Amino acid sequence: MSSTSVTFRSSNRLDAFDLQLLDLLQADALMTAEKLADHVALSASAITRRVRRMRETGVIRADVAVLAREFTDMRLNALVLVQAREHAEERGIAALRALLTATPEVQTVLDISGEYDLALQISARDMNDFNALTDRLLQSNATVQRYETRFVKRTHKQSLFIPMVADAD
């Protein structure tokens, strides 16, 4: 095990054991401390303490259920590029980001470089739902200059996994 450590939120240090645990928990957040101990050279009680600390400090933000594709493939998924008005105030862009972030159908909100300012991933029930959503969120928003949509035909990979152990090497 290397002595690599990563600093998170200035006072929280993550060592190589923590990084291993993060990789394993990203693959299966329901893995027990005993099962984690099969992969990480720590006792189950030490693992429990470390995982609790990472949850309390926000390193682990949430444990979520990933739905089977049979349920999600029935939805209309789109990538939407949003361009703000040239002289839009930061306050208006911040309000737009807050609105988008608070909308459950908007799965991802990214600030991007280039011609567009934001990239969104949206999941809607169908085209009518998508149109109503974009009309409410984008079309009627004074901060939005224009937006373009690309509909997802097929998903080959979708993951939030971020390899921690490989980054530490």
Side-chain angles (χ1 to χ4, degrees):
M1 195 63 46
S2 71
S3 62
T4 303
S5 68
V6 175
T7 301
F8 178 78
R9 291 192 187 161
S10 73
S11 64
N12 302 315
R13 298 199 57 81
L14 302 177
D15 63 17
F17 293 118
D18 292 327
L19 299 178
Q20 273 187 291
L21 290 169
L22 288 172
D23 273 354
L24 292 164
L25 290 170
Q26 285 183 90
D28 182 359
L30 296 178
M31 197 178 289
T32 65
E34 290 77 16
K35 188 70 174 167
L36 290 166
D38 291 343
H39 303 282
V40 179
L42 292 171
S43 69
S45 61
I47 288 171
T48 299
R49 284 191 301 276
R50 285 169 177 266
V51 171
R52 183 182 312 120
R53 183 192 79 236
M54 288 189 284
R55 285 189 171 111
E56 288 171 353
T57 60
V59 172
I60 298 174
R61 189 179 64 186
D63 297 306
V64 299
V66 178
L67 303 179
R69 282 223 173 113
E70 295 81 25
F71 295 106
T72 60
D73 280 350
M74 304 283 286
R75 297 183 63 83
L76 180 70
N77 295 297
L79 302 174
V80 180
L81 300 173
V82 180
Q83 185 178 59
R85 295 200 182 282
E86 186 175 344
H87 300 292
E89 294 181 31
E90 185 56 38
R91 183 175 57 223
I93 294 170
L96 175 61
R97 278 190 209 103
L99 173 66
L100 295 168
T101 301
T103 304
E105 295 88 351
V106 179
Q107 296 180 309
T108 305
V109 179
L110 304 169
D111 285 347
I112 59 172
S113 62
E115 181 181 356
Y116 292 92
D117 301 291
L118 300 171
L120 314 175
Q121 181 180 350
I122 295 177
S123 180
R125 282 188 310 271
D126 54 30
M127 186 58 82
N128 287 335
D129 186 40
F130 177 81
N131 287 334
L133 189 66
T134 54
D135 286 351
R136 179 173 59 86
L137 297 174
L138 303 174
Q139 190 69 32
S140 63
N141 192 302
T143 301
V144 176
Q145 172 72 34
R146 70 188 188 112
Y147 64 94
E148 288 186 15
T149 303
R150 303 291 187 268
F151 292 103
V152 176
K153 293 171 30 178
R154 211 171 283 109
T155 301
H156 298 281
K157 179 181 180 181
Q158 187 171 21
S159 172
L160 294 176
F161 183 85
I162 299 170
M164 299 305 295
V165 174
D167 284 352
D169 293 338

